[in-house]
Amino acid sequence: MIADYIVVGQGICGTFLSWNLMREGQRVVVIDHADPFSSSKVASGVINPVTGRRIVKTWMIDALLPFVQEQYELFGAEIGASLIRQCNVLDFHPTPQVAASFADRHREDPAYLAYGDAAQYGSLFNFHYGIGEVSPCLLVQLNTLLDKWRLVLSARECLRNTQFDIGHLETDNDSARYQDITAKKIIFCGGAADFDLALFDRLPYAKNKGEAIIAEIPGLPATNIYKQGISIVPWENDLFWIGSSYEWEYNDLEPSERFRTRVEQQLNAWLKLPYRVVDHIASVRPATVERRPFVGLHPLHSTVGILNGMGTKGCSLAPWFAHQLAQHLVYDRPVAAEADVKRFRQVLGRVID
Ligand SMILES: Cc1cc2nc3c(=O)[nH]c(=O)nc-3n(C[C@H](O)[C@H](O)[C@H](O)COP(=O)(O)OP(=O)(O)OC[C@H]3O[C@@H](n4cnc5c(N)ncnc54)[C@H](O)[C@@H]3O)c2cc1C
């Protein structure tokens, strides 16, 4: 089989990359073994324009927000699904100090910040120091996106539902060959698994484990994301996603009793409504030391590329950089220097020394 590109992985990166390449008329084969607990499947799907205790704007957010919203709308129109909606974060201040620093930030730069209507939430939550609102925040239906695109790929006979085995990959300066497929290039979008490959294991990644519980909360409106240390995020089928954790050292990828106990204690103190836990999930975020992604062609192997390292921001960064990478591959347009994997030429060069 002849293709232009082999894409390994159909998380949010492989999904947006394959879609972008196909829109440019490229022949694509996606290889993905349908990990039910991939990062993209476990993620809550929030695009929050501010971050951290200092409530600062996230990297490139003013440009990212309108662009990625349009990308999700275009993608949704193609696959017949509504993929994105505005769903603001209501941040319930846990202490007077946090409320004061929100007020300071709001005075300095009110972009994306407002005040929530405390009177409306008194019957739902216990809180004493007011509510900050982050607006606009966007919520992506990630599992709908992944499932629907998989069906489209399958119908177009572009999907191999199988484990990719690097032992069967052969590359030279002109092509990448995998089993019966010969392509111009192969692009790795395998999330955290890519960092175990000799091609990429010298990149400065910082994988971290995150968990969430899935719960029924009858009576809680699915109109907002509710936050106080943990976040309660509207999920599929009238359920809520509640998390998360950030563990840089972990022994396994299983959901842990420790996390569930901690989250239930927090919920019991904060939420006034009864809830019922129906699931508990965990995955690994493909994060990087510099908090910047790895995008582009391998500095030493011109027919091998990567789209990875989205960390906690896959929903906003993946559509942006998938588009940029597709434009680079098809039209030789540049990849942003801060994201281009070629910045690690020396580090990656040592792999083959
Ligand atoms: C608990 C949690 C909450 C999160 N919440 C958010 C959020 O609210 N907003 C946000 O923007 N980001 C969030 N993230 C981060 C986000 O999930 C990631 O940035 C993003 O999903 C990474 O996507 P990816 O496509 O790179 O990797 P993945 O989603 O891991 O996809 C990789 C794919 O490659 C496939 N694969 C890998 N190796 C092979 C192989 N050898 N053969 C075949 N297939 C293979 C896997 O099956 C998988 O489908 C969260 C992450 C976690 C864990």
Side-chain angles (χ1 to χ4, degrees), residues 8-15 31-48 72 139 142 146 150 160 162-166 189-194 197 208-212 233 241 243-246 281-287 307-318:
V8 181
Q10 195 239 324
I12 190 165
C13 284
T15 293
I31 303 175
D32 184 279
H33 65 140
D35 173 2
F37 300 107
S38 70
S39 199
S40 303
K41 287 195 178 142
V42 168
S44 55
V46 178
I47 301 179
N48 182 341
Y72 282 106
L139 185 60
L142 274 175
L146 299 172
R150 197 171 185 86
R160 300 280 174 96
T162 183
Q163 173 95 17
F164 174 85
D165 176 359
I166 193 124
C189 302
D194 285 350
L197 302 176
N208 71 76
K209 177 179 171 182
E211 300 185 43
V233 184
W241 178 108
S244 184
S245 53
Y246 299 84
I281 50 181
S283 189
V284 178
R285 300 178 184 86
L307 179 65
N308 208 322
M310 303 298 152
T312 58
K313 307 258 177 304
C315 292
S316 50
L317 295 182

Side-chain angles (χ1 to χ4, degrees), residues 317-332:
L317 295 182
W320 176 277
F321 283 107
H323 178 262
Q324 199 169 94
L325 180 56
Q327 294 292 306
H328 178 64
L329 294 170
V330 180
Y331 301 113
D332 204 19

Side-chain angles (χ1 to χ4, degrees), residues 42-120:
V42 168
S44 55
V46 178
I47 301 179
N48 182 341
V50 298
T51 186
R53 288 206 186 135
R54 287 270 308 128
I55 322 172
V56 288
K57 282 202 236 177
T58 66
W59 183 47
M60 300 198 307
I61 196 64
D62 294 338
L64 283 176
L65 262 192
F67 179 84
V68 302
Q69 179 157 12
E70 187 188 31
Q71 293 289 295
Y72 282 106
E73 284 165 359
L74 287 171
F75 203 163
E78 187 170 328
I79 61 177
S82 170
L83 298 177
I84 192 158
R85 68 175 167 109
Q86 185 170 341
C87 192
N88 290 350
V89 168
L90 296 176
D91 207 341
F92 292 75
H93 303 310
T95 62
Q97 291 77 8
V98 173
S101 52
F102 184 90
D104 288 346
R105 271 310 280 160
H106 187 259
R107 261 192 306 276
E108 282 163 31
D109 181 3
Y112 302 116
L113 302 182
Y115 281 97
D117 176 9
Q120 212 184 319

Side-chain angles (χ1 to χ4, degrees), residues 93-156:
H93 303 310
T95 62
Q97 291 77 8
V98 173
S101 52
F102 184 90
D104 288 346
R105 271 310 280 160
H106 187 259
R107 261 192 306 276
E108 282 163 31
D109 181 3
Y112 302 116
L113 302 182
Y115 281 97
D117 176 9
Q120 212 184 319
Y121 297 97
S123 59
L124 304 177
F125 294 95
N126 292 306
F127 62 100
H128 308 287
Y129 306 109
I131 304 173
E133 180 164 352
V134 185
S135 173
C137 287
L138 302 175
L139 185 60
V140 179
Q141 299 301 310
L142 274 175
N143 280 284
T144 305
L145 169 78
L146 299 172
D147 293 349
K148 289 232 173 204
W149 185 238
R150 197 171 185 86
L151 289 175
V152 172
L153 289 173
S154 191
R156 293 182 189 171

Side-chain angles (χ1 to χ4, degrees), residues 97-281:
Q97 291 77 8
V98 173
S101 52
F102 184 90
D104 288 346
R105 271 310 280 160
H106 187 259
R107 261 192 306 276
E108 282 163 31
D109 181 3
Y112 302 116
L113 302 182
Y115 281 97
D117 176 9
Q120 212 184 319
Y121 297 97
S123 59
L124 304 177
F125 294 95
N126 292 306
F127 62 100
H128 308 287
Y129 306 109
I131 304 173
E133 180 164 352
V134 185
S135 173
C137 287
L138 302 175
L139 185 60
V140 179
Q141 299 301 310
L142 274 175
N143 280 284
T144 305
L145 169 78
L146 299 172
D147 293 349
K148 289 232 173 204
W149 185 238
R150 197 171 185 86
L151 289 175
V152 172
L153 289 173
S154 191
R156 293 182 189 171
E157 299 186 352
C158 298
L159 178 72
R160 300 280 174 96
N161 187 357
T162 183
Q163 173 95 17
F164 174 85
D165 176 359
I166 193 124
H168 293 144
L169 177 66
E170 291 172 30
T171 60
D172 55 30
N173 289 337
D174 301 313
S175 66
R177 294 173 301 284
Y178 183 73
Q179 297 178 338
D180 63 318
I181 313 165
T182 300
K184 287 197 270 192
K185 290 183 174 46
I186 183 165
I187 312 295
F188 286 88
C189 302
D194 285 350
F195 305 144
D196 296 330
L197 302 176
L199 278 164
F200 299 114
D201 67 358
R202 295 286 179 97
L203 290 174
Y205 57 83
K207 295 188 273 193
N208 71 76
K209 177 179 171 182
E211 300 185 43
I213 59 172
I214 307 295
E216 288 172 350
I217 313 179
L220 188 64
T223 45
N224 285 94
I225 295 153
Y226 308 94
K227 190 170 176 190
Q228 193 186 70
I230 49 173
S231 296
I232 304 179
V233 184
W235 183 246
E236 305 142 7
N237 306 322
D238 296 328
L239 297 169
F240 288 87
W241 178 108
I242 307 168
S244 184
S245 53
Y246 299 84
E247 278 182 74
W248 280 266
E249 285 180 21
Y250 46 89
N251 297 322
D252 60 56
L253 294 179
E254 298 304 311
S256 71
E257 198 52 47
R258 199 164 56 106
F259 172 82
R260 181 165 170 167
T261 307
R262 173 173 71 80
V263 168
E264 287 187 356
Q265 279 169 354
Q266 280 176 271
L267 273 182
N268 295 344
W270 176 39
L271 182 64
K272 288 185 173 172
L273 299 170
Y275 62 91
R276 189 174 76 87
V277 175
V278 299
D279 205 354
H280 182 177
I281 50 181

